[in-house]
Amino acid sequence: MTFLFPGVLWALVVLAIPILIHLFTFRKVKKIHFSTISFIDLVKDETESKNKLKHLLILLSRLLFLTFLILAFAQPSLKTRSTGLKSESSIFYLDNSLSLSQTNEEGTSILNEGVSLIEVFLKESSLDSRFGLLTNDFAPFSNQVRSKNEISDFLTELDYSGRTRTLESVFERLDNAVSSPKQRVIISDFQKSTTGLLESIQIDSAVQVSLLQISFASQLSNIYVDTAYLSKPFLLVDESNELKVIFRNTGEIKKENILVKLTAGGKLISSVSLTMLAFESKEVSFLLNTTSLPMNELVISFEDFPVTFDNEYRVALNLNPRPKISVINDNLESQYLGAVYQNQDLFDLTIYHSGNVDYTKVFKADLIVLNGFDLIPDWFTSQFQTSEADVVLVPSGNANLTSYRTVLPGLRLSTDSAMGPISIYDINNPFFNGLFDSDLDRVSFPKAKKLFSLPSTHEILLGDQYGRPYLSRRKGDRNTYAFASPLESNFTSMQEHAIFLPLMYRIAQQSAAIDRAIAFSIDERFISIPSRELSNNTYFQLKGEDQEFIPNVFVSKNLINIELPPSSLTPGFYFLVDGTGDTLSTLALNSSKKESDMRVYSQEELENAFSSYENISVLDYSSAEELQLILNDSSQSSQIWKYALILALMFLLTEILLVRFFR
């Protein structure tokens, strides 16, 4: 038994007052005149015996009256760890994640079952009771306690949330809630993937927590998309690619002949039949051709029952922008470089002569080609270290070694003046991935004689028969490419060879290539979108099919960092739009893959995890009706003070009757 106001029990010391009165009360002696004293001794003994009994009964009645009156003010209640429930002043957490769209044994969605449990509390409470309600959206509605009618109205509009919350984050939010009641009721399916480790949860001993598990009809087997990625990280125009999709089966049941479709804008691109063993992961590849895709919104869909909320996975393919290229010529204009990048559909080309360079624009390019300079210009070396543009260095026949070393330390003059063959140094280098479709063993390569001996510490792209570099790349915040000779006929036939065009295309494409995620999870708090030429003052919007948001955004370098809204965000395609109305990127938001793992904690696992907590109870119930009976029993056990008050009044009445009628 516990007391709501244990300090009142100090009043029990007043029980000494009736005892003292009983012991030290002296009665006045009365003189009675009578004629005979023959029966005086007999009357005396009989009267003393009756008075003693009467006084003891009155004393006992007074003591019991005061005792139960004091107990009533202390408000005793029975400690009921088996339920810990009461219908008044509770705050509820209702898990409304997508996994609760599954049904129970009665065929009702378990989210509706959770709503029914809360309605039991509301029904058993008085009109002036106040409640709190928290869902996975962590919406502002949960910041205050509210009337039962407000809670009931909110429940009628409750929908599923794509957000997942660990039990630890739920308790943290409840601890920070304004005027949070000490009675907390957690209603969830307790998925292992989303609930988190039970042993790591810290719960305040001053609050009473009741855990109510709403369960599926049976343990569910489910297939879902675990990961999707491109075989080539950069999606380029007119270049084939592969979409790799990893599927996972989280159940003990073998899944056979699952038809998987890949669609773009509702148009079927490809399909495959999938068979998966229990707990198996399998990768499927889809060939992509950027010239034939109707749009950049891809949907991977399949039919898998009974779990259907994750039967679609969205992927957004954003083509890289046209590379901005600045070609700067000194002694002569290279007809080859100009011809390579003149396709305006693919490149944004600007050609300068060394005496007529717009210094404010040249370093805003993605790629700077410095062609035919004897000396590296001072304006270039002063900004080279801070520039983010990739650079291609093509020396002149009279190039000054010392000047070129300001850009390429370790550069030396070549001692080999003979013309020799050059070829691809390592065809497995990711730089060449998908660049050549034909068999390289049948390809004749160009010849060259080297003016410079390039540093061996750089990555070799093209080399001679001895493995010495002819075209190298130094990686860093930007790439610096260097040719070992001028692109002139007396030094090399490279510029006239078939490999020159795809090689220079790849250099330009990678200078503007943006490595961006093709899909995001809806429960991520922050996502980053790469983009170019951004300002912190740019205004952004996220526009979906049925929703539109103004997210919190901050820009760092060429990244747009977006804080996703904490509530009311549903899976789908969204467009990131700037203040001018231009679409910067398409985003694919999917439900959390944690939700797709349908394995849950058992009742026994929950009880064992919280067995050391006296203030936490895991309720075993079978229906809302049974919960109502438990609430009634718990409510009765908390009304002991009423019985104490009734007993106090009964003993007060007993004392009055004893004084009045006991003779």
Side-chain angles (χ1 to χ4, degrees):
M1 179 181 293
T2 60
F3 296 91
L4 185 60
F5 303 107
V8 177
L9 296 178
W10 285 101
L12 290 174
V13 297
V14 303
L15 295 179
I17 296 176
I19 297 175
L20 293 176
I21 292 174
H22 176 77
L23 294 176
F24 298 105
T25 297
F26 298 97
R27 293 177 295 276
K28 293 182 179 180
V29 178
K30 260 187 191 179
K31 286 186 179 182
I32 301 176
H33 299 278
F34 49 88
S35 57
T36 179
I37 60 170
S38 58
F39 300 103
I40 185 77
D41 291 334
L42 180 61
V43 173
K44 179 182 177 183
D45 292 339
E46 184 178 351
T47 302
E48 286 182 354
S49 178
K50 287 183 178 181
N51 287 339
K52 185 179 294 186
L53 177 60
K54 177 182 178 180
H55 294 159
L56 287 175
L57 290 175
I58 292 173
L59 175 62
L60 181 60
S61 299
R62 288 175 178 172
L63 291 174
L64 291 174
F65 162 70
L66 291 173
T67 299
F68 284 108
L69 183 63
I70 293 169
L71 290 177
F73 280 103
Q75 293 194 21
S77 63
L78 292 177
K79 194 173 185 179
T80 55
R81 190 185 186 279
S82 59
T83 64
L85 293 176
K86 60 182 179 179
S87 60
E88 310 288 334
S89 302
S90 301
I91 185 168
F92 306 102
Y93 163 68
L94 178 57
D95 180 1
N96 63 330
S97 59
L98 294 174
S99 62
L100 273 80
S101 61
Q102 304 311 302
T103 58
N104 56 20
E105 294 179 353
E106 287 74 29
T108 304
S109 77
I110 57 177
L111 178 61
N112 289 338
E113 181 183 342
V115 171
S116 299
L117 297 180
I118 295 178
E119 288 176 343
V120 169
F121 281 85
L122 302 180
K123 181 180 178 181
E124 293 298 313
S125 65
S126 60
L127 289 175
D128 59 348
S129 299
R130 307 291 288 177
F131 297 96
L133 177 61
L134 179 67
T135 64
N136 283 21
D137 291 324
F138 282 10
F141 181 89
S142 62
N143 292 338
Q144 297 287 342
V145 291
R146 302 178 184 275
S147 69
K148 59 186 294 184
N149 290 335
E150 289 177 305
I151 298 294
S152 182
D153 291 341
F154 184 83
L155 289 174
T156 61
E157 302 174 0
L158 185 63
D159 200 357
Y160 299 103
S161 171
R163 297 281 182 175
T164 61
R165 303 293 181 183
T166 64
L167 197 56
E168 186 175 9
S169 66
V170 169
F171 279 114
E172 182 179 349
R173 177 59 183 260
L174 292 176
D175 289 338
N176 296 330
V178 178
S179 304
S180 177
K182 296 301 182 182
Q183 168 72 21
R184 297 175 182 177
V185 181
I186 310 298
I187 303 174
S188 173
D189 56 358
F190 295 105
Q191 276 181 276
K192 291 183 177 181
S193 57
T194 58
T195 301
L197 295 176
L198 299 177
E199 295 77 9
S200 64
I201 299 174
Q202 301 295 322
I203 301 176
D204 187 357
S205 60
V207 299
Q208 182 68 43
V209 180
S210 299
L211 306 180
L212 281 71
Q213 185 174 32
I214 41 182
S215 304
F216 317 126
S218 61
Q219 287 284 10
L220 301 175
S221 182
N222 183 36
I223 289 180
Y224 67 96
V225 175
D226 182 71
T227 307
Y229 65 96
L230 294 173
S231 60
K232 303 174 187 176
F234 309 121
L235 191 66
L236 304 174
V237 178
D238 294 332
E239 186 173 306
S240 62
N241 210 324
E242 274 189 314
L243 178 64
K244 305 280 189 178
V245 184
I246 299 177
F247 291 87
R248 189 180 298 276
N249 183 3
T250 62
E252 300 177 351
I253 301 175
K254 179 182 178 181
K255 299 279 188 173
E256 297 184 280
N257 301 322
I258 302 294
L259 181 61
V260 181
K261 301 178 181 178
L262 177 65
T263 58
K267 179 182 177 181
L268 180 65
I269 295 178
S270 181
S271 63
V272 64
S273 182
L274 185 65
T275 296
M276 298 190 68
L277 302 176
F279 302 109
E280 183 185 15
S281 295
K282 184 173 289 187
E283 184 176 90
V284 175
S285 297
F286 296 98
L287 183 64
L288 302 177
N289 188 340
T290 58
T291 59
S292 62
L293 288 179
M295 55 193 309
N296 63 347
E297 301 168 21
L298 302 185
V299 178
I300 304 160
S301 60
F302 52 94
E303 292 185 357
D304 176 41
F305 298 100
V307 183
T308 59
F309 66 83
D310 55 359
N311 284 2
E312 285 189 351
Y313 190 86
R314 299 161 187 83
V315 172
L317 301 182
N318 294 278
L319 290 172
N320 281 278
R322 288 190 309 157
K324 294 182 179 180
I325 301 174
S326 295
V327 176
I328 308 172
N329 299 300
D330 188 20
N331 293 331
L332 54 90
E333 181 176 344
S334 172
Q335 58 177 327
Y336 303 105
L337 290 174
V340 165
Y341 297 132
Q342 279 183 350
N343 189 334
Q344 296 182 0
D345 292 333
L346 299 179
F347 307 107
D348 182 0
L349 173 65
T350 304
I351 299 178
Y352 300 97
H353 187 270
S354 59
N356 186 26
V357 177
D358 188 341
Y359 305 117
T360 61
K361 293 182 179 180
V362 68
F363 281 100
K364 291 183 179 180
D366 298 301
L367 179 67
I368 301 173
V369 181
L370 215 60
N371 175 51
F373 280 80
D374 294 340
L375 298 171
I376 301 296
D378 292 338
W379 60 262
F380 181 85
T381 55
S382 63
Q383 298 188 55
F384 173 73
Q385 298 298 332
T386 58
S387 170
E388 295 182 358
D390 285 2
V391 174
V392 176
L393 293 177
V394 182
S396 71
N398 299 315
N400 182 281
L401 176 65
T402 303
S403 177
Y404 271 77
R405 278 178 173 172
T406 60
V407 177
L408 292 175
L411 191 67
R412 293 179 290 109
L413 289 175
S414 175
T415 58
D416 186 4
S417 60
M419 189 80 73
I422 56 175
S423 62
I424 295 174
Y425 182 75
D426 181 10
I427 192 58
N428 295 318
N429 188 322
F431 177 87
F432 298 105
N433 191 7
L435 192 60
F436 301 104
D437 296 329
S438 59
D439 188 356
L440 289 178
D441 292 336
R442 300 179 181 179
V443 175
S444 63
F445 286 94
K447 295 183 178 181
K449 63 178 181 180
K450 292 180 288 183
L451 174 67
F452 288 137
S453 178
L454 300 174
S456 58
T457 54
H458 295 182
E459 180 184 24
I460 304 174
L461 299 179
L462 300 179
D464 61 16
Q465 57 186 332
Y466 304 107
R468 293 173 297 190
Y470 177 77
L471 172 62
S472 68
R473 176 171 66 171
R474 184 177 66 178
K475 291 183 177 181
D477 294 336
R478 64 185 180 280
N479 295 315
T480 303
Y481 301 86
F483 284 91
S485 73
L487 295 178
E488 301 173 11
S489 57
N490 58 329
F491 277 93
T492 181
S493 61
M494 164 67 72
Q495 66 276 11
E496 299 175 347
H497 199 274
I499 71 169
F500 182 65
L501 181 65
L503 187 71
M504 298 306 292
Y505 263 40
R506 178 55 55 89
I507 290 175
Q509 288 172 334
Q510 291 210 350
S511 69
I514 299 175
D515 188 5
R516 67 178 82 208
I518 62 175
F520 297 96
S521 175
I522 201 171
D523 62 349
E524 294 183 58
R525 185 178 178 186
F526 294 98
I527 61 175
S528 296
I529 307 298
S531 190
R532 300 186 300 178
E533 297 184 5
L534 295 173
S535 168
N536 282 314
N537 298 321
T538 304
Y539 168 79
F540 296 99
Q541 286 180 292
L542 269 182
K543 293 185 177 181
E545 182 178 351
D546 301 315
Q547 298 171 297
E548 185 173 324
F549 301 96
I550 301 177
N552 293 326
V553 174
F554 63 93
V555 177
S556 59
K557 290 189 177 180
N558 289 336
L559 282 180
I560 306 173
N561 302 284
I562 305 171
E563 182 179 9
L564 293 180
S567 60
S568 304
L569 196 62
T570 58
F573 289 105
Y574 291 82
F575 303 97
L576 181 64
V577 180
D578 64 13
T580 63
D582 293 334
T583 299
L584 301 179
S585 183
T586 302
L587 310 181
L589 296 183
N590 297 288
S591 58
S592 172
K593 62 184 178 183
K594 294 179 182 179
E595 279 290 291
S596 299
D597 190 342
M598 306 303 290
R599 290 172 289 184
V600 300
Y601 286 108
S602 66
Q603 183 87 6
E604 183 180 359
E605 287 175 315
L606 291 173
E607 291 174 350
N608 291 338
F610 299 110
S611 59
S612 60
Y613 287 88
E614 290 294 328
N615 60 318
I616 302 178
S617 57
V618 182
L619 185 62
D620 187 7
Y621 74 101
S622 60
S623 64
E625 290 75 16
E626 184 177 351
L627 176 64
Q628 187 170 359
L629 294 175
I630 294 172
L631 270 177
N632 288 334
D633 293 340
S634 179
S635 177
Q636 291 297 325
S637 67
S638 65
Q639 307 300 318
I640 299 177
W641 67 272
K642 294 182 179 180
Y643 299 116
L645 182 59
I646 292 172
L647 288 173
L649 294 175
M650 287 178 59
F651 284 112
L652 178 60
L653 178 61
T654 300
E655 180 186 353
I656 294 173
L657 293 176
L658 286 173
V659 173
R660 180 70 179 81
F661 297 106
F662 196 106
R663 298 293 184 184

